[in-house]
Amino acid sequence: MTRFLLTEDKVITFIEHLQKQKNVFAPHKRGTNSFAFEQVSDPASVMLDYTRTLHSVKKYFMPPREQLLSFSLTDNSFAEPTVDPVDAIFLGVHSYDLQAVFKLDHNFSEGNPEKNYLKRREGALFVGVTFAPDQWHFSGSVGINPNDADGFDVFLFAVENGYAVEAFTPAGESLLSGFEMSEFNSDIPAAADFNQHIYVPQGKLSEVFDNAWDNEVWEETSKECVGCGTCNMVCPTCYCFNVEDGVDVTATVGQRERHWDACMTRDFSEVAGGEVFREELAARQRHRVYRKFKYISDKTGQPWCVGCGRCTASCSAKISIVNIVNKLVQDHEQATVAPV
Amino acid sequence: MANKPRVAIFDFTGCEGCELNKLNFENELLDILAHVDIVEWREAMDDRVDEYDIAFVEGSLSTPDCIERIHEVRRKCKVLVSLGSCATLGGINAMKNIQPIEEVREEGYGEDKYLFPTLPALPLSAVVKVDYEVRGCPMTQIEFLKLFTALVRGQEPVKPDYAVCVECKLKENECVYEKGMICLGPVTVAGCDAHCPSFGQYCTGCRGLVTDANIAGMEEILVKHGLSVDEARKRLQLYNVNQLEGVQR
Amino acid sequence: MKDLYFPVMAEITGVKQLSPMEKLFEITLPGGVDLEHDPGQFVELSLFGVGEAPFSVSSSPTRKGTFELGIRNVGMLTDVLHRMEAGEKVGIRGPFGSGFNVDDFKGKDVMIVAGGIGLVPVRSLINYVLDNRDDFGRLIILYGSKTDKDLLFTDELQQWTDDPKVEYHVTVDSGSDDWTGNTGVITTMIPGLDLDLENTKCVIVGPPIMYRFVLLSLNSKGMPEENIYMSLERRMKCGVGKCGHCQINSSYVCQDGPVYHYPDLADLQEAL
C-alpha cells in the first residue's frame, strides 16, 4: 500500500478534511496533566502526541451513563430510548485502545448480543497514531505495539516532522481521497521500547493463573488497595454495569439508567439481605486480575488486558498490575522448577 | 397518597447550611412543597405541632438539651431523617471529641463556660433510631431529592456504598491527585456525583466512609503524596473522627 | 435484534401470605401465555421507579397459564412488592439461566435438601416430579427451617406428609411449644436415610452456609458427586450474561446457573 507524508504543519488541514466527512473525535487536553477524547470543534486543540486518555473510546459505544428505558408512573408504561450509531471518525486512537474495542465487540456480540452497544458501534472509523510508551504502558507484553495498524482504517505512523499515513480499508482510502499529500517512501522508524514488561506470553499465563489462587500477592496488595474502583472505571476492557431507576421529583416519570460499575467495590457482589460474596479486598483484586488474564482468556485464547497502563497510572496507591502478574509468574516458575 | 405527609424540620448543633441548602432548590422547591405539608420549621415559621410523619434533622447532638429534644422529635415522628454530616456523623463539631472536653469549653466560651454545658458531638444515631440519612456538608442536594421522592412514594431510598471515585470517573474528571492535591474520594461514600472534584476541589470526606474502608491503606496513600502520618490522620478525622476513633455511632 | 432489557408487562393475579416474611405472587403474562421455563430458572421482575431483581420461579411448568414467585421481604424492591395487590402490573424479563435438566432425573430417585427460602425455587422441581410421578422413582424431601412459624407452603407440606409416594422429612432449628416434629439442623436427617446412592439424584438449595455441611454429610453417606446438583444465589442484575455482578470465577450464574451440577463447581473456588 502507498504511504503518504503528512507534515506537522498540515495536520490541522488534514483534520479539517476529515471533519468535512463525518464528526471527528480526538484527544484533547483535560485538566492539568490529562487527556480525553472529545468531539473536535477546533482542530488546533487536537493533541495527537499524548500519553493516554482518561477513558478509552469505549465511552462512545458504552456511555458511562446510559438510559435503558424511560417510564411513566401514572400509567406504568415504558418507552424505548433512541440509540443511534455514533458514525464518526475516531482520530488519534492508540493501538491498544482499538484492540480493546474489538474485545468489547466480542463481549457484546457473544451469547446474547446487545443492541445498544452494537448499534452505537456502527459506522465508526478509526484513524490510529503511534504512541511513545511511558512508564506505565506495557501493551507490547500482550502483543500490541505502538505501530500496530491492525484493524485501523487509517494509521498515522510517527516519522520525523510528521506522520506517514497509510489507509488499510476502502473506507480509510476514501477518508484520504481528495487530500493532497506526497508519497512517503522511507522506512517507518522502529517504535520506542516499553519501560515495563510482563515476562511471559498469554499461552503460559493461563498455566500461571492455575496456580495463583492462593498466592500471597492478593493479601499483600489488599493492604495498599482501598477498593475505590478507579482501576475498573478507567479500564478499556471492563464492561460491568449496574442498573438503577431514577424518578423525577414530580414522581410521575423516570428512567432506568445503567452506569459502569466496579468489581473492586464491596457492594458489587452484595445481594438483597446483605450477603457479600467477595467481601475481602484481596478476593476482589484477584477477581479483577483473573478477569484480565484468565477467565475470558481461557475461552478466547487472548489476554483481556491491552496493556494501556491506565489502572496503574490512575491508581492513587500506584498498585501495578504488571508487578502483580510478574510476581505470580516468578512464584510459578520457582514452584515448577524441578528440585536439584 | 391521599393525605400529604406532614413534615417537620429541626436543627441542632451545626452551621445551618443544610437548611439553607434546602431553600436552594430553586427549580424543585415547588415540586417538593406540592407533595408534603411542612408543619414545623424554626428557620421559616413559628408553628409548633405535636405530631408529624417525617422529621428532617440537621446538626449534631452536643448538649444535654439536644439529647432531650431529639428524644422528643423521635417520639413525635414516624420517620426520622438525618441531614448532613453533623447529624449523620457528628461532623466537624466532633473534632472536639478527641480533646479534653473542659479545654474545649474554655476555648469556646472563656469565662462564661459554666453557662454552657457541653457533651461530645454525636450523630443522631448514637442516641435515637435514625431511619434514613442524607450525607454531605452541606447535605447533598441530589441525595435529598432522591430520598424525598422515595419517601413520598412510600419507598426505601437507594444507599450507595462505593467510593466517590466511581462517580468521579463516570464524569471523566481528571484525578485530583493528578493536579497535585490529595483527595479522600477513594474511601468516601458516593452519592454526591463527585461534586467537589468536578469543580476542581478535593474530597474532604464529608459524606463519611464506605463500609469496611481500608483506613491504613488510605493513610499510606496520603503519606505517599506528601502528608506526614499525623497530617494524614487529621485529614481523615475532619469529618470521620467518631467513626475512626471509635466514638459510638 | 431482540432488546435484552425491555420487560413484558404482566399482571399480579394472586397474592398469598406464606409466612410472616414471605408472600407468593401469582403472575400472568399478557394473553395468559406460558412462561415456558424449566424448574430452577429465574425471571427479572421490575417495578418502574424502584428497580429490577431476580427471583426463582416457584411453580412447575406443568401448571399452565400463570407462574408463581415466592418472595421474601428483604429489600427495597421486595418491600414495595409486598404492598402490591392482585390487578397491579409488574415487568417481567426471562426466564433466564440454566435450570434442572429434568430428563437426567427421569427413572431415578429424587432427593431434595431444602433450607429455608431454598424451598421456593426447588418447589418448581418438586411439583414437576409430582405432576409426572410415574417418570421418577422415590421422591425424598428434606426441609429445614429456622422455626416452625417460618415453614413455607404449609398446605403443600401437609399434602406431601399425606402422600404415600412422597418421603417428606422436616426439621426446625428451634420449635415453638406446640411443635412436635424434629428439632435440629437439616444434616441430622441425612444419616438415617436408606438411599440407593447410585440411583439417587440429590438437589441442594439453601443459604450459603448450608451447602458445606450438607455436602459433608452426603459425602460421608457415600453419595457420588456426579449425582449432586445445587442452585446458587448471586446478584443476577442483567440476567443475560453482561453486567458481571453474578460472576463466580469464570462462570456467569445467570447463564451457567443458577443450577449447577456439583462436579462443574469443582473449578469454581468462589462458589461455595
Side-chain angles (χ1 to χ4, degrees):
Chain A
M1 267 302 189
T2 320
R3 289 187 184 132
F4 301 95
L5 178 66
L6 175 65
T7 50
E8 203 58 77
D9 58 324
K10 288 278 171 50
V11 168
I12 289 180
T13 46
F14 177 68
I15 298 173
E16 285 165 352
H17 174 77
L18 296 180
Q19 282 181 300
K20 284 176 204 147
Q21 306 175 61
K22 281 184 186 213
N23 286 334
V24 179
F25 294 88
H28 290 67
K29 202 152 194 306
R30 165 95 39 113
T32 317
N33 282 315
S34 306
F35 300 93
F37 271 92
E38 288 169 15
Q39 182 165 356
V40 179
S41 57
D42 170 19
S45 63
V46 169
M47 307 289 291
L48 288 180
D49 182 14
Y50 69 102
T51 49
R52 64 179 63 68
T53 48
L54 291 165
H55 288 331
S56 71
V57 290
K58 171 179 85 174
K59 67 178 180 178
Y60 293 106
F61 311 124
M62 185 196 185
R65 291 183 185 277
E66 168 179 10
Q67 197 189 91
L68 291 183
L69 51 84
S70 60
F71 50 80
S72 157
L73 294 170
T74 39
D75 63 357
N76 213 5
S77 65
F78 70 92
E80 309 181 20
T82 44
V83 177
D84 293 321
V86 177
D87 194 28
I89 300 164
F90 293 89
L91 169 68
V93 176
H94 288 167
S95 51
Y96 51 79
D97 272 349
L98 183 60
Q99 291 307 314
V101 170
F102 294 152
K103 291 184 194 304
L104 292 178
D105 289 351
H106 171 87
N107 295 129
F108 283 107
S109 330
E110 63 146 7
N112 299 299
E114 194 204 276
K115 201 165 79 178
N116 296 28
Y117 176 91
L118 296 173
K119 187 84 190 168
R120 287 203 180 84
R121 219 4 217 100
E122 285 172 16
L125 297 177
F126 296 94
V127 178
V129 68
T130 308
F131 68 93
D134 73 354
Q135 78 257 47
W136 308 120
H137 289 110
F138 62 98
S139 63
S141 305
V142 290
I144 305 168
N145 288 300
N147 275 336
D148 264 348
D150 246 9
F152 281 102
D153 296 287
V154 172
F155 201 88
L156 311 181
F157 297 95
V159 297
E160 210 181 336
N161 298 327
Y163 302 95
V165 183
E166 184 174 349
F168 293 91
T169 64
E173 277 172 36
S174 95
L175 283 186
L176 299 185
S177 80
F179 188 74
E180 287 282 317
M181 287 182 284
S182 58
E183 283 194 18
F184 178 87
N185 292 314
S186 318
D187 288 336
I188 305 289
D193 285 340
F194 287 90
N195 298 305
Q196 53 173 359
H197 306 269
I198 291 175
Y199 302 137
V200 300
Q202 180 61 41
K204 184 85 184 294
L205 273 184
S206 179
E207 192 189 314
V208 169
F209 275 85
D210 279 337
N211 294 316
W213 191 255
D214 295 317
N215 196 290
E216 68 220 16
V217 75
W218 311 121
E219 197 54 48
E220 275 169 29
T221 310
S222 75
K223 290 179 188 147
E224 301 179 328
C225 174
V226 297
C228 71
T230 291
C231 50
N232 298 130
M233 303 305 282
V234 299
C235 177
T237 67
C238 271
Y239 59 96
C240 288
F241 59 83
N242 196 11
V243 180
E244 285 175 79
D245 283 12
V247 177
D248 185 88
V249 72
T250 60
T252 53
V253 291
Q255 60 286 319
R256 180 158 293 168
E257 182 199 83
R258 84 152 153 204
H259 59 80
W260 297 352
D261 205 353
C263 65
M264 286 304 300
T265 60
R266 182 180 176 276
D267 63 356
F268 185 84
S269 64
E270 185 174 359
V271 295
E275 181 105 17
V276 177
F277 288 95
R278 271 184 293 277
E279 183 118 43
E280 303 298 322
L281 263 172
R284 283 181 252 153
Q285 187 69 256
R286 179 172 58 197
H287 182 71
R288 174 177 83 94
V289 179
Y290 267 72
R291 267 193 74 110
K292 298 301 158 199
F293 292 101
K294 176 71 180 169
Y295 296 151
I296 309 178
S297 305
D298 275 358
K299 292 171 186 166
T300 60
Q302 291 176 34
W304 227 242
C305 165
V306 294
C308 67
R310 284 187 179 89
C311 54
T312 311
S314 310
C315 176
S316 48
K318 288 289 176 282
I319 291 167
S320 159
I321 196 166
V322 172
N323 290 352
I324 291 175
V325 175
N326 281 338
K327 157 89 170 134
L328 299 178
V329 169
Q330 205 178 6
D331 289 354
H332 175 77
E333 282 173 357
Q334 272 171 13
T336 50
V337 169
V340 183
Chain B
M1 203 173 289
N3 290 317
K4 289 181 183 179
R6 289 159 303 166
V7 166
I9 300 165
F10 301 94
D11 55 301
F12 288 84
T13 310
C15 71
E16 304 188 4
C18 294
E19 296 209 33
L20 292 177
N21 219 7
K22 279 195 289 293
L23 294 172
N24 284 344
F25 290 118
E26 288 162 14
N27 297 327
E28 294 90 355
L29 193 60
L30 291 176
D31 285 327
I32 290 175
L33 294 173
H35 288 291
V36 297
D37 283 327
I38 297 186
V39 294
E40 189 167 335
W41 188 359
R42 186 188 61 84
E43 198 99 339
M45 54 204 277
D46 295 327
D47 299 1
R48 306 267 329 247
V49 295
D50 291 333
E51 215 182 63
Y52 24 83
D53 297 299
I54 308 170
F56 290 105
V57 182
E58 180 217 332
S60 66
L61 309 174
S62 67
T63 66
D65 177 55
C66 291
I67 307 281
E68 220 168 276
R69 278 170 60 218
I70 192 64
H71 279 299
E72 185 192 336
V73 171
R74 181 70 262 189
R75 271 196 306 276
K76 288 181 174 179
C77 74
K78 291 182 184 136
V79 173
L80 178 62
V81 183
S82 63
L83 294 187
S85 301
C86 296
T88 304
L89 306 165
I92 292 185
N93 307 331
M95 286 295 283
K96 73 171 184 183
N97 297 0
I98 48 171
Q99 291 157 35
I101 199 88
E102 281 312 310
E103 280 176 29
V104 172
R105 247 172 114 187
E106 178 117 25
E107 181 70 30
Y109 302 112
E111 285 179 3
D112 295 333
K113 68 174 181 176
Y114 297 105
L115 300 174
F116 299 97
T118 188
L119 297 171
L122 296 173
L124 310 185
S125 60
V127 176
V128 293
K129 178 175 170 277
V130 172
D131 300 292
Y132 305 106
E133 298 174 336
V134 178
R135 292 160 175 255
C137 179
M139 64 138 187
T140 305
Q141 287 200 354
I142 45 172
E143 191 171 49
F144 178 84
L145 285 179
K146 277 186 191 170
L147 174 102
F148 187 87
T149 314
L151 288 185
V152 297
R153 297 186 64 220
Q155 286 175 17
E156 297 273 326
V158 184
K159 281 178 277 182
D161 192 10
Y162 48 79
V164 169
C165 289
V166 170
E167 289 178 339
C168 199
K169 296 296 173 288
L170 283 173
K171 297 169 92 172
E172 208 181 1
N173 292 329
E174 180 183 50
C175 183
V176 166
Y177 284 94
E178 203 58 51
K179 297 183 208 286
M181 292 188 269
I182 61 100
C183 181
L184 298 187
V187 289
T188 301
V189 180
C192 55
D193 208 19
H195 188 81
C196 297
S198 301
F199 286 95
Q201 284 304 315
Y202 57 87
C203 172
T204 56
C206 75
R207 292 181 45 78
L209 301 168
V210 293
T211 304
D212 292 344
N214 178 1
I215 295 304
M218 190 66 231
E219 284 177 336
E220 205 171 308
I221 290 170
L222 296 177
V223 168
K224 219 177 255 183
H225 287 84
L227 298 194
S228 70
V229 174
D230 191 46
E231 286 167 337
R233 191 73 187 176
K234 282 189 172 143
R235 282 287 178 118
L236 279 159
Q237 282 174 340
L238 184 62
Y239 282 98
N240 296 294
V241 68
N242 280 341
Q243 217 170 334
L244 291 170
E245 307 306 330
V247 180
Q248 183 203 344
R249 273 212 61 197
Chain C
M1 203 181 302
K2 184 172 156 264
D3 193 287
L4 303 177
Y5 307 120
F6 295 158
V8 167
M9 296 313 290
E11 190 179 331
I12 300 174
T13 44
V15 185
K16 200 171 126 190
Q17 192 83 40
L18 288 178
S19 79
M21 288 283 280
E22 279 97 3
K23 280 186 176 179
L24 186 70
F25 293 85
E26 182 192 79
I27 313 277
T28 306
L29 293 172
V33 298
D34 292 325
L35 182 65
E36 294 184 346
H37 65 289
D38 296 329
Q41 279 191 304
F42 68 97
V43 294
E44 295 281 349
L45 182 148
S46 73
L47 302 176
F48 293 135
V50 187
E52 207 174 28
F55 298 101
S56 289
V57 180
S58 189
S59 53
S60 164
T62 48
R63 317 273 165 105
K64 301 290 182 187
T66 62
F67 64 95
E68 290 168 339
L69 305 173
I71 296 175
R72 173 176 288 182
N73 186 355
V74 285
M76 184 176 74
L77 184 133
T78 52
D79 180 56
V80 177
L81 190 63
H82 266 239
R83 282 180 271 143
M84 291 177 73
E85 292 166 1
E88 295 192 78
K89 292 270 166 74
V90 294
I92 296 289
R93 292 190 298 126
F96 294 127
S98 307
F100 296 102
N101 188 347
V102 285
D103 289 338
D104 288 352
F105 289 38
K106 287 189 174 153
K108 310 279 186 183
D109 293 349
V110 179
M111 170 174 161
I112 310 277
V113 185
I117 199 173
L119 186 65
V120 169
V122 91
R123 170 176 173 261
S124 176
L125 177 66
I126 292 172
N127 282 329
Y128 184 92
V129 172
L130 289 173
D131 290 347
N132 297 279
R133 196 63 195 88
D134 297 340
D135 294 346
F136 301 89
R138 293 162 66 192
L139 175 60
I140 307 151
I141 302 170
L142 309 187
Y143 177 32
S145 177
K146 271 207 180 98
T147 75
D148 48 317
K149 305 293 177 216
D150 301 317
L151 292 169
L152 305 173
F153 303 106
T154 43
D155 296 355
E156 284 165 66
L157 302 184
Q158 191 56 50
Q159 284 168 24
W160 302 341
T161 310
D162 299 341
D163 188 336
K165 293 173 88 177
V166 179
E167 300 164 46
Y168 170 65
H169 307 272
V170 60
T171 183
V172 300
D173 295 348
S174 64
S176 55
D177 291 344
D178 51 349
W179 176 249
T180 54
N182 292 318
T183 307
V185 291
I186 198 161
T187 45
T188 55
M189 300 192 291
I190 295 174
L193 292 173
D194 181 21
L195 300 172
D196 178 1
L197 292 168
E198 296 302 320
N199 199 39
T200 301
K201 294 287 189 182
C202 181
V203 170
I204 315 170
V205 192
I209 185 82
M210 192 191 89
Y211 290 97
R212 267 164 269 153
F213 292 106
V214 171
L215 285 167
L216 276 173
S217 186
L218 288 175
N219 187 32
S220 46
K221 187 89 183 161
M223 174 73 73
E225 290 191 352
E226 63 268 23
N227 283 356
I228 301 175
Y229 299 79
M230 47 189 81
S231 179
L232 301 183
E233 183 196 17
R234 287 296 185 276
R235 185 174 162 195
M236 288 91 82
K237 188 77 201 179
C238 75
V240 292
K242 301 292 179 216
C243 81
H245 284 270
C246 68
Q247 202 175 1
I248 299 178
N249 301 101
S250 60
S251 181
Y252 278 85
V253 178
C254 72
Q255 303 293 292
D256 308 332
V259 175
Y260 285 88
H261 190 198
Y262 182 46
D264 295 338
L265 289 179
D267 290 336
L268 306 180
Q269 294 94 328
E270 292 181 332
L272 298 172

